[in-house]
Amino acid sequence: MSLDGFGVPSAILVMALATYSMRAGGFWLMALMPRSPRLQRMIEALPGSVVTAAVLPLIVREGPVAALAIAVAGAVMLATRKDLLAVLAGMAVAAIARAAGL
Amino acid sequence: MSKDHDESARAPFVSRAGFNLGARLALPVLPGMIAFGLAVGATAARKGLTFLDNLFMNLFVYAGMSQIVAMEAWPERFGVVALASLALLCITVNARMLLMSASLQPWLGALPAWQIYPGLHILTDPSWLISMSYRARGGSDAGVFFGASAIAALAWMSAITIGYLAGALIADPRRYGIDLVMPIFFAAMLVPLWRGGRRSIAWLIAGVVALIVQQFIGGWWFMVIGALAGAVAGGFLDEP
C-alpha cells in the first residue's frame, strides 16, 4: 500500500491537535468558571464516575470473565489495599477463566 | 466536602519527592500500559505505517485507544474528509480528557503555564486517577501528577517501539488477561476513592447512563456522557 507523501504526517498532525485540544481544553475552560462548592463536589465525584462509566459497559460487553476478574480485584484491594496485588489477582482470574473456556 | 477543606488545601508545588512518589504509585499500571503499547505498535506495523510514523504518532497524539480505532479505519488517501473524520474520531474517543483536565484545574491551575500546558500532553487515564486519588487524600504536590505521567509515557514509548519491531510475534493479549488489565486497575482504584453512601449514588448514575448511551447511541460517547452525568449528580445530590 503506498501512501501520499504528506498524508500520514498530516493525519498525525490533525489527530494530535484534536487530542491535545481535549487534554488542554478542559483545563483552560475550567479556569474561566466561577468557583463554587457545588463545582468542587462535581470534581470530587468525577474519578469514580469515569471509572464506572468506562468499566460497567465493558463488563456488559465482555461478559462474565470480565465481571469475575474485576470483582476479584476489587475484593483483593478491599482486603489488602495493595493495587499491584489486586491487578495481578484480577489478571490471573481472567487467564484461568479463559483457559477453562468460560 | 466542606468549603473549609477547599481553602485549607495548600497551593501546588512540584518536588522531586512528589515526582518519585507519582512514579511509584504508577508502577501497578505499567504492565497494562506496556501490553497495550505493544498492541498499538504491532497494529501500526500491520497497517503499513513506517517506524517514524509510529514513533511520531505516539509522541504527538499519545492516546492509544483513539490510535487503535483510527488505524483500524486507516484511510488509503488523506483528503479533507478523511482528515476531518480522523479529527472527529480523536475528539469522541478522547472527550473524557476534557473532564479529566478540567478536574485538575482547581489544584494545578496556580502552576506556571509553561509547566502545566506541556505537562497536560502526557495526561493519561491512569496518571489522572492516581493524581486525583492522591489529591483526595489531602496531597498537594503536583510532582505526583508529573511523575506518574512521565513514567507512564516512558513505558508507553518503549512498548510501542518494541511492539512495532516485534509485530506479529506479539501473543494474543486475551490469553493472559492483559486486555482486561486497565479496567481491572480502574476498578481497584475505586476502593480507596470510596467515601460511602451518597457519593456512590453518583457513580451508579454514571454507570447506568454510560450503559444506556452505549446501548442506544453506540460509538465512544458512553464514557464522557456517563462520567459527566455522574459528576453533575455528585454536585447536586451531595448537598451538605
Side-chain angles (χ1 to χ4, degrees):
Chain A
M1 180 172 65
S2 87
L3 300 166
D4 304 334
F6 293 101
V8 177
S10 41
I12 291 173
L13 182 69
V14 161
M15 290 168 70
L17 288 176
T19 304
Y20 185 70
S21 71
M22 298 293 106
R23 281 197 169 102
F27 192 87
W28 181 78
L29 282 172
M30 193 65 164
L32 310 175
M33 301 270 277
R35 275 307 117 68
S36 75
R38 173 167 292 157
L39 195 65
Q40 187 59 33
R41 287 195 299 277
M42 287 182 176
I43 287 171
E44 281 160 14
L46 193 60
S49 298
V50 167
V51 171
T52 46
V55 170
L56 213 56
L58 180 126
I59 290 176
V60 169
R61 211 168 52 229
E62 295 285 320
V65 173
L68 189 65
I70 285 167
V72 167
V76 171
M77 187 67 181
L78 205 57
T80 66
R81 294 267 161 174
K82 297 214 186 313
D83 41 12
L84 186 56
L85 201 62
V87 169
L88 291 176
M91 284 172 70
V93 166
I96 292 165
R98 279 179 182 156
L102 267 177
Chain B
M1 216 156 273
S2 73
K3 202 157 183 267
D4 316 337
H5 175 83
D6 205 0
E7 282 159 1
S8 69
R10 283 167 298 148
F13 58 98
V14 185
S15 80
R16 175 162 285 262
F19 191 92
N20 292 341
L21 174 64
R24 197 157 52 75
L25 291 173
L27 286 180
V29 81
L30 293 189
M33 287 213 68
I34 290 168
F36 191 23
L38 288 172
V40 168
T43 305
R46 187 160 49 78
K47 289 290 171 178
L49 273 75
T50 67
F51 182 83
L52 282 181
D53 290 339
N54 178 50
L55 195 66
F56 287 146
M57 185 190 282
N58 283 285
L59 269 177
F60 297 130
V61 182
Y62 187 50
M65 186 88 77
S66 57
Q67 289 170 224
I68 288 250
V69 178
M71 287 189 294
E72 290 303 342
W74 206 232
E76 300 229 359
R77 302 206 141 264
F78 294 87
V80 176
V81 175
L83 291 179
S85 47
L86 282 176
L88 186 65
L89 186 148
C90 286
I91 288 171
T92 25
V93 178
N94 298 324
R96 68 189 186 288
M97 292 177 178
L98 210 59
L99 298 175
M100 287 157 51
S101 74
S103 71
L104 289 172
Q105 205 280 334
W107 173 24
L108 303 180
L111 290 175
W114 67 266
Q115 279 183 353
I116 188 62
Y117 278 100
L120 285 171
H121 176 61
I122 54 169
L123 167 72
T124 56
D125 301 83
S127 68
W128 173 74
L129 268 175
I130 287 162
S131 305
M132 292 301 280
S133 173
Y134 163 79
R135 180 64 172 166
R137 295 194 300 269
S140 51
D141 190 337
V144 170
F145 167 70
F146 290 104
S149 300
I151 196 168
L154 199 66
W156 182 262
M157 292 311 295
S158 319
I160 59 101
T161 306
I162 296 167
Y164 184 89
L165 297 174
L169 296 178
I170 305 292
D172 178 12
R174 291 178 61 85
R175 200 155 130 209
Y176 303 103
I178 288 171
D179 60 312
L180 291 176
V181 72
M182 280 297 186
I184 287 171
F185 176 77
F186 287 178
M189 290 295 287
L190 275 183
V191 172
L193 285 170
W194 184 264
R195 294 286 179 278
R198 279 198 299 184
R199 190 72 47 88
S200 57
I201 298 174
W203 295 359
L204 192 66
I205 289 173
V208 170
V209 169
L211 277 178
I212 293 170
V213 172
Q214 177 183 245
Q215 198 67 42
F216 294 102
I217 300 179
W220 291 90
W221 289 108
F222 67 90
M223 240 188 282
V224 64
I225 296 177
L228 189 61
V232 170
F236 284 87
L237 283 172
D238 208 18
E239 299 287 353

